[in-house]
Amino acid sequence: MSENQDRGASAPSRRALIGWGGAGLALGAAAAGGAVAAARTGDDVSPAGADVGAAVEFHGAHQAGIATPVQDRLHFAAFDVKTDDRAEFVQMLKDWTEAARRMTAGQPVGDGAYGGLAEAPPDDTGEALGLKPSRLTLTIGFGPAFFERFGLSGKRPEALADLPAFPGDNLDRSRTGGDLCVQACADDPQVAVHAIRNLARIGFGKVAIRWSQLGFGKTSSTTPDAQTPRNLMGFKDGTRNIAGTETGRLTKHVWAGEGDGGADAHWMTGGSYLVARRIRMNIETWDRTSLQEQEDVFGRDKKEGAPVGRAKEHDAPFLKAMKPDAHVRLAHPDANGGITILRRGYSFTDGTDGLGRLDAGLFFLAYMRDVRKGFIPLQRRLSASDALNEYIQHVGSAVFAVPPGVRDQDDWWGSTLFSKEA
């Protein structure tokens, strides 16, 4: 939860309930998560400058789902590769790309969910029939261990660094790592779940889901004219997040450039690097903490989101007016040599832990040009002395190289990496 970035509820539908509870492919609704999500109103759920039901262009120099206006629902899945056949895996990537191309346009996969051979499974799982595209974006990335396969060891970018052990980490191995990932974001949770489900079905025998996470209530925005979202601690988050229209900042801080990451990493030009962290919040302890201490921990006013001693959220912070261990003071670019990352995190509520405590928190997603110069030095500083550490714990972690976008109808995910087939 870093400060590096700028930045009429009606009765919930049956589909909306899917996004408010459970983990992985379990689709049960958690009442607590639903209550939080249902409380969001106004610009918190209205994506700025975009029609909720619209389609996001799949093709482009960069993958959608990074600088794209942030949708309100997430289904994130990390996969392990099960095949050693390079050609079979490449064909799966091509099949995934075609499926993603269709789903993001609001179309069924292949010949659809019905009307085909009665003796064969349908090409599409069918639960998104009749639903709008809901601004679905699908973003793929490759983990460090992936480059041990298919003769790709020489193409692992130096910028895809393994994350060190940070003080206070309590990582669950079953929620950590992965050979590749797919981030599905949409304004309808059923559309996001449908996308991951179809890709997992297409990849059966070649890949298998290692872990996944449902998220609701974006905690950062790439559209600064929208109301700044609040995290589950009730504070505005991502105030200085990079806007999707800030091409200069995106080029400087997010997109991998020619020559970045080593001599054999040119295939990543136009891509980015993703850090995913599952951060559990000690909700019950936080809720018994005084308002003054809560504001001291963040270095912000809870009502307006204004920095200590200022009146408005976007007023320039006076860092020395904050407590030395305040989150904003430690995470601000001015205190970290200008380190800036683009955040796309989501809240989560996954039931309880068996001890009467909510399993809830922030699913942190951040894109950057180089993990070594972005997340690692920033997290080292925060994990050492951030007052917020008393109320949070990092319990899951992964890092991925996210290749450039699919250029046209003949291109496919990962084509720049698998140059022989491309």
Side-chain angles (χ1 to χ4, degrees):
M1 293 168 53
S2 131
E3 179 66 19
N4 276 303
Q5 297 80 33
D6 249 340
R7 150 49 288 147
S10 58
S13 67
R14 176 180 61 81
R15 296 195 307 276
L17 292 174
I18 291 175
W20 296 346
L25 291 174
L27 304 184
V36 172
R40 300 177 64 83
T41 59
D43 286 338
D44 279 345
V45 296
S46 297
D51 181 359
V52 172
V56 175
E57 175 58 46
F58 179 71
H59 300 116
H62 313 291
Q63 288 195 62
I66 303 175
T68 307
V70 184
Q71 307 92 321
D72 206 50
R73 298 289 186 266
L74 167 80
H75 193 184
F76 187 96
F79 294 81
D80 286 333
V81 175
K82 298 299 184 181
T83 181
D84 293 323
D85 188 324
R86 178 178 170 125
E88 182 180 49
F89 183 78
V90 167
Q91 185 58 53
M92 187 205 76
L93 289 179
K94 293 178 179 179
D95 293 341
W96 268 16
T97 305
E98 181 56 29
R101 185 181 283 119
R102 292 184 63 85
M103 289 189 291
T104 55
Q107 301 171 354
V109 175
D111 291 329
Y114 59 88
L117 290 175
E119 296 77 17
D123 288 343
D124 188 280
T125 53
E127 73 277 20
L129 284 171
L131 302 184
K132 296 179 179 180
S134 298
R135 297 196 304 130
L136 172 67
T137 56
L138 293 167
T139 313
I140 193 173
F142 301 103
F146 177 81
F147 295 91
E148 299 171 8
R149 298 177 174 273
F150 308 128
L152 298 173
S153 58
K155 290 194 174 183
R156 176 179 171 177
E158 296 173 6
L160 182 65
D162 291 312
L163 300 183
F166 297 106
D169 277 4
N170 185 23
L171 302 183
D172 178 352
R173 305 313 303 175
S174 67
R175 293 181 179 272
T176 296
D179 290 329
L180 67 158
C181 72
V182 178
Q183 170 195 284
C185 298
D187 292 315
D188 185 329
Q190 186 147 321
V191 171
V193 169
H194 167 261
I196 294 296
R197 180 180 172 186
N198 264 307
L199 295 181
R201 178 187 57 79
I202 293 168
F204 182 79
K206 298 172 279 291
V207 296
I209 291 182
R210 179 183 179 90
W211 57 269
S212 71
Q213 181 68 56
L214 291 173
F216 65 88
K218 62 190 178 189
T219 61
S220 295
S221 175
T222 56
T223 48
D225 52 329
Q227 180 176 321
T228 303
R230 293 181 184 267
N231 58 34
L232 290 185
M233 289 178 165
F235 280 77
K236 292 187 175 184
D237 210 347
T239 297
R240 291 177 54 82
N241 204 24
I242 301 173
T245 55
E246 292 183 296
T247 55
R249 293 182 78 199
L250 289 168
T251 298
K252 181 177 180 181
H253 300 294
V254 178
W255 305 131
E258 186 70 41
D260 283 1
D264 294 320
H266 62 275
W267 64 272
M268 272 293 293
T269 302
S272 190
Y273 297 91
L274 169 64
V275 172
R277 303 277 283 185
R278 189 176 191 270
I279 304 174
R280 182 171 175 181
M281 296 176 178
N282 301 322
I283 295 293
E284 292 76 15
T285 303
W286 179 259
D287 290 345
R288 295 192 298 270
T289 300
S290 70
L291 175 61
Q292 185 61 61
E293 182 173 343
Q294 289 183 4
E295 293 183 336
D296 286 345
V297 165
F298 273 96
R300 285 189 177 275
D301 160 75
K302 195 168 189 177
K303 179 183 177 183
E304 297 290 338
V308 171
R310 306 300 192 194
K312 299 295 183 182
E313 173 193 348
H314 295 285
D315 290 348
F318 180 50
L319 300 182
K320 291 184 179 180
M322 303 174 188
K323 299 279 188 180
D325 58 357
H327 180 72
V328 170
R329 179 169 180 170
L330 293 172
H332 196 276
D334 289 351
N336 288 288
I339 293 175
T340 304
I341 55 182
L342 185 153
R343 292 186 51 194
R344 287 186 66 96
Y346 288 82
S347 296
F348 69 84
T349 303
D350 289 338
T352 60
D353 63 359
L355 298 174
R357 300 174 301 192
L358 286 175
D359 183 4
L362 168 69
F363 190 62
F364 174 93
L365 294 168
Y367 289 87
M368 64 212 71
R369 187 169 175 173
D370 191 322
V371 174
R372 300 167 300 174
K373 300 175 182 178
F375 182 78
I376 290 177
L378 178 62
Q379 184 58 25
R380 278 180 171 152
R381 179 173 174 83
L382 293 175
S383 61
S385 55
D386 190 352
L388 193 57
N389 292 335
E390 181 179 348
Y391 303 98
I392 63 172
Q393 189 167 59
H394 292 238
V395 296
S397 180
V399 59
F400 301 95
V402 177
V406 176
R407 293 163 295 181
D408 51 41
Q409 291 285 341
D410 297 322
D411 199 9
W412 43 277
W413 274 336
S415 64
T416 57
L417 173 59
F418 289 91
S419 55
K420 291 180 180 179
E421 287 79 0

